[in-house]
Amino acid sequence: MNCVVLVEFQQLLQLLLKASQDKRFVCEEAERALGSMVGSMTPLPLLQKLRVSVSHKNLRIKAKVAVSLSKCVSKMVNEEMEEFGMEKLIEVAADLVNDRLPEARDAARSIATSVYEAIIKDVEVEEKMEVWQSFCHSKLTPINAISILKNVKA
């Protein structure tokens, strides 16, 4: 089982490397394959595999990971997000929200917005901002909480 997971991770990493290349055709095909993977796989296993690469040194790979993560999260229902961990999701968004590539920053905002919508789903209108701020401050460092709060328009 661990061998299969390792092979799948290596294949995913190769796909991310190809999607980050300068060769337009290779990049487009790899992005199409990533899109198909995100569209066809259940979000939780893919999220767990992608999360490992969110801190990759290569900025382009990190941006591709961020976009794929964002697409996975946007497909998830609240129960799946809770199963993966709202804390993990907001931490990933906080790590990416100040990235140098706009693609990664946009994906981070999308992830954070999805978490925001899940957190405030059953909250009274006048309490939404307070609940969101409390969640961010309890799960993130002060600077990351401020970055997320600034980037998610409540």
Side-chain angles (χ1 to χ4, degrees):
M1 179 71 179
N2 287 340
C3 252
V4 172
V5 172
L6 180 61
V7 170
E8 289 175 2
F9 177 72
Q10 291 298 331
Q11 292 170 338
L12 178 60
L13 189 56
Q14 284 300 314
L15 198 52
L16 291 165
L17 286 166
K18 298 286 185 202
S20 303
Q21 285 188 358
D22 290 330
K23 297 175 185 170
R24 188 173 170 207
F25 173 75
V26 173
C27 182
E28 287 173 354
E29 288 302 313
E31 284 181 358
R32 195 171 297 127
L34 272 172
S36 294
M37 183 185 304
V38 169
S40 63
M41 275 185 78
T42 54
L44 282 175
L46 186 56
L47 262 181
Q48 291 165 343
K49 287 177 180 57
L50 287 169
R51 186 170 180 249
V52 174
S53 299
V54 81
S55 58
H56 200 281
K57 292 177 184 174
N58 183 318
L59 293 177
R60 286 181 173 179
I61 291 175
K62 192 187 325 184
K64 299 298 179 191
V65 169
V67 170
S68 296
L69 280 168
S70 171
K71 289 177 181 176
C72 273
V73 171
S74 70
K75 286 180 18 176
M76 296 172 86
V77 294
N78 286 6
E79 292 78 25
E80 290 174 311
M81 291 173 76
E82 288 172 8
E83 185 178 336
F84 181 77
M86 296 287 190
E87 181 176 327
K88 291 178 188 173
L89 290 172
I90 203 66
E91 286 171 354
V92 166
D95 289 343
L96 294 167
V97 79
N98 294 317
D99 196 86
R100 286 195 278 178
L101 293 179
E103 195 176 5
R105 292 192 306 264
D106 291 343
R109 278 191 286 280
S110 174
I111 293 167
T113 299
S114 294
V115 173
Y116 166 76
E117 290 169 356
I119 294 291
I120 58 104
K121 182 181 180 210
D122 296 323
V123 175
E124 296 293 326
V125 175
E126 56 276 352
E127 297 175 0
K128 287 182 179 186
M129 187 50 116
E130 183 180 331
V131 168
W132 176 238
Q133 287 176 347
S134 175
F135 173 79
C136 288
H137 285 292
S138 70
K139 305 298 182 195
L140 301 170
T141 64
I143 191 106
N144 283 347
I146 290 168
S147 291
I148 290 292
L149 291 169
K150 185 174 74 171
N151 279 285
V152 175
K153 305 299 181 218

